[in-house]
Structures are given as C-alpha cells and as structure tokens.
C-alpha cells in the first residue's frame, strides 16, 4: 500500500446512485489521514474500503450541502464508539457552524472523541505539522465554500556519486542532513555540495464551485488535483447556473496549472458513461487522468 494515496469512498453529486455513493475521500499522507466531505453512507463505505475511524486525523468539509456533510454524524459516532486515540481536527466554513453542531450531535451517543473544531473564516493556513501545511482557499458556489491544499515542505535529495567522491559515508550522511555540514578528513563538506533541492508534494481538493481564481490557486503545480466535474460541456449552461464545473473546465485547470494527476469526481446522475468525462478532460490536458469510482485507491504520484 502506498504511503500516500487517495481512498475514494463516494463519487456522486446531489443524490447517490446504484453505483456511486455520496462524496467521501480519505487522503493517506504517510501517517496522517484527512477525510474530506463525508456524505451520507460514508461510515459504511469506510468499512468496505478497509478504513478505520482511527485513520482520520483531520475532518475537512468544503461546505454544507448535504452530499458533502450528511455522513458526519455516523463518522463522529463511529470515532466515539471505537475510542479514537488523540485529537481529531474538524475544519469547516465558519458560516456553517450551526450545521456542524447539528450534525455532530444529531443523535444521543457516548461522546468520547476529542473533536477539536477549527471554523474557517478566510483564506490561509489552517493547520501545520510534520506533514507541512494545510491551507484553505475560498471558492464560489451558491453558499460559502472553501477548497483545501496540502503542501509538503521542500527538501533535499542526496546525490550518491557526490557523496562517494567526497568520502561521505555511513553515519556521516545522517549527520550532514541534520547539521548541514560535516568534517571529512581535512575538509568540511557542505550539504549543498552533495544534494539537490527536491520540491515538496502538493495535493489539492476542489469541490462545488464555478471557475474562479481560487480554483487555480489551489491547483497550482499540484501532484494530485481532486476536482469536481459535475457536468459535461454539453450542459455548460447548467454548470454555470448552479456554479459547478464541467470536465472540460477541470481539464483546462489541470493543463494551465501543471497538475500531474487529475482526479475527476462528483458526477451528475444524468450521465451513465464515465468515459465521456475522461475524453472531455483529455482533449485539453495530456497528463494522467483518473475518472474516480467508489472504493478506488489512487496513489499520489512519486516525488519528482
């Protein structure tokens, strides 16, 4: 199993279908788990996908339309019944705080989980840790909505040939990485001499929105972009009316922003052939395209 992967729990918009559950996406990022937009039925989908309540460290809600949040009661209750260890951080638009409160306490239960709420009031970093930073960026829908972007800090890649040439080996390599320099024989070897910069990975999550600056800001240079493509271009007028995206628009965003892996999801039930979403996006984007299906496991592309 990849240390960094997207577990797809649901891919339907508005209403579930026979083959697509309401939204739900778990991002595994090394030892961290971020659950995005758990719609109705997410708790059951987690069971099918082999996802435990203990896998969730951050609960991230883009907005409070039902297909993006009606699974919150079941997920939170499951966290309590499973006695989840440590704090779980809940991020959501501050304007929907009353909805989150209703969802969190939708039924009587033994509330044993430490669920720390972090209402979002505007663009900016909302969490930091060894993983890097989690940012929220405002999008444009019929109600307040935020997208999310996970950014890993840039690092350095060691160059074996340079290490060997300068005689750096064994424990000295670790010391060099920690301290930035190491003494070898009669000279000091600097980290920059035996390594090169390695860009940190980027993950972006964009749900219900029309095209706006925030979409492009979130997607910029993302290794994986998970993005709604509710409509096909033949129904662009509906997309505009309801402030959603088409597959062609999602493909354009990926092309313009240098995305490596484009994950299309949040499909209207009016369409029955998922290949049409792929073909429409592929007409403008020549990178990797995944038309998400429920219970897919999609690895984040390896570091460059």
């Amino acid at each position: 199993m990849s240390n960094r992967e997207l577990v797809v729990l649901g891919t339907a918009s508005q209403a579930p279908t026979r083959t697509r559950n309401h939204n739900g996406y778990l991002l595994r990022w090394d030892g961290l788990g971020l659950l995005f937009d758990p719609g109705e039925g997410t708790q059951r989908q987690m069971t099918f996908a082999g996802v435990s309540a203990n896998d969730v460290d951050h609960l991230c809600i883009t907005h409070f339309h039902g297909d993006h949040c009606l699974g919150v009661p079941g997920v939170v209750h499951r966290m309590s019944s499973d006695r989840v260890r440590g704090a779980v951080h809940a991020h959501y638009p501050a304007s929907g705080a009353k909805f989150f409160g209703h969802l969190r306490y939708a039924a009587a239960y033994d509330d044993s989980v430490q669920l720390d709420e972090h209402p979002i009031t505007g663009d900016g970093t909302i969490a930091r840790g060894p993983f890097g930073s989690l940012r929220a960026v405002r999008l444009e829908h019929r109600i307040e909505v935020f997208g999310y972007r996970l950014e890993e800090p840039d690092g350095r890649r060691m160059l074996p040939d340079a290490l060997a040439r300068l005689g750096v080996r064994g424990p000295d390599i670790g010391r060099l990485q920690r301290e930035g320099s190491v003494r070898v024989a009669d000279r000091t070897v600097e980290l920059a001499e035996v390594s090169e910069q390695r860009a940190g990975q980027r993950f972006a999550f964009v749900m219900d929105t029309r095209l706006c600056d925030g979409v492009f800001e979130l997607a910029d240079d993302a290794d994986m972009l998970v993005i709604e493509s509710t409509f096909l271009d033949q129904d662009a007028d509906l997309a505009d009316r309801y402030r959603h995206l088409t597959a062609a628009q999602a493909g354009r965003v990926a092309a313009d922003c240098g995305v490596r892996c484009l994950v299309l999801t949040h499909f209207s039930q009016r369409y029955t052939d998922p290949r049409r979403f792929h073909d429409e996006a592929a007409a403008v984007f020549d990178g990797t395209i995944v038309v998400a299906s429920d219970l897919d496991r999609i690895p984040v592309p390896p570091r460059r």
Side-chain angles (χ1 to χ4, degrees), residues 37-286:
D37 280 8
E40 182 182 353
T42 293
Q43 180 185 184
R44 190 162 186 260
Q45 294 293 95
M46 289 169 64
T47 300
F48 286 134
V51 171
S52 163
N54 278 287
D55 293 331
V56 180
D57 301 291
H58 291 263
L59 173 60
C60 304
I61 298 171
T62 59
H63 66 297
F64 285 97
H65 279 154
D67 52 329
H68 297 262
C69 66
L70 286 177
V72 168
V75 170
V76 173
H77 291 197
R78 183 62 173 269
M79 289 175 176
S80 285
S81 64
D82 287 0
R83 298 295 191 267
V84 165
R85 302 175 301 276
V88 177
H89 303 278
H91 311 278
Y92 56 82
S95 60
K98 67 176 181 179
F99 297 121
F100 189 83
H102 293 326
L103 291 165
R104 181 175 180 178
Y105 299 109
Y109 69 107
D110 180 11
D111 186 3
S112 65
V113 64
Q114 181 185 341
L115 187 62
D116 294 340
E117 298 184 30
H118 307 279
I120 303 168
T121 57
D123 295 5
T125 299
I126 57 175
R128 293 187 186 276
F131 60 88
S133 62
L134 180 66
R135 291 176 51 214
V137 175
R138 190 182 302 275
L139 299 171
E140 295 183 10
H141 193 44
R142 291 173 291 158
I143 62 174
E144 187 174 47
V145 57
F146 287 91
Y148 294 94
R149 178 177 168 96
L150 183 65
E151 299 181 349
E152 179 186 34
D154 292 343
R156 300 199 69 85
R157 180 183 294 108
M158 305 305 290
L159 302 174
D161 290 345
L163 289 167
R165 175 169 50 82
L166 295 176
V168 184
R169 58 178 62 87
D172 283 343
I173 297 176
R175 189 175 304 114
L176 177 60
Q177 290 174 310
R178 292 191 303 272
E179 300 176 8
S181 65
V182 67
R183 191 76 179 173
V184 178
D186 59 348
R187 64 161 293 183
T188 298
V189 177
E190 302 291 337
L191 181 61
E193 296 180 83
V194 293
S195 65
E196 61 184 8
Q197 187 168 337
R198 183 200 67 209
Q201 289 193 305
R202 311 284 188 261
F203 170 87
F205 187 80
V206 175
M207 283 293 127
D208 298 19
T209 183
R210 62 182 176 187
L211 275 183
C212 62
D213 290 345
V215 174
F216 293 92
E217 181 179 346
L218 288 162
D220 185 44
D221 203 27
D223 293 277
M224 177 179 283
L225 168 63
V226 180
I227 188 168
E228 69 122 311
S229 54
T230 309
F231 293 100
L232 293 173
D233 204 47
Q234 68 187 42
D235 296 311
D237 58 331
L238 290 177
D240 183 64
R241 184 187 313 168
Y242 293 107
R243 300 191 178 187
H244 280 290
L245 298 176
T246 68
Q249 289 174 320
R252 174 193 152 196
V253 169
D256 289 352
C257 293
V259 168
R260 297 175 65 197
C261 177
L262 173 65
V263 180
L264 302 176
T265 187
H266 194 270
F267 307 113
S268 169
Q269 65 195 68
R270 72 188 64 236
Y271 308 112
T272 58
D273 184 359
R275 292 173 298 180
R276 298 176 65 192
F277 291 91
H278 176 279
D279 293 346
E280 194 167 281
V284 290
F285 174 63
D286 61 4

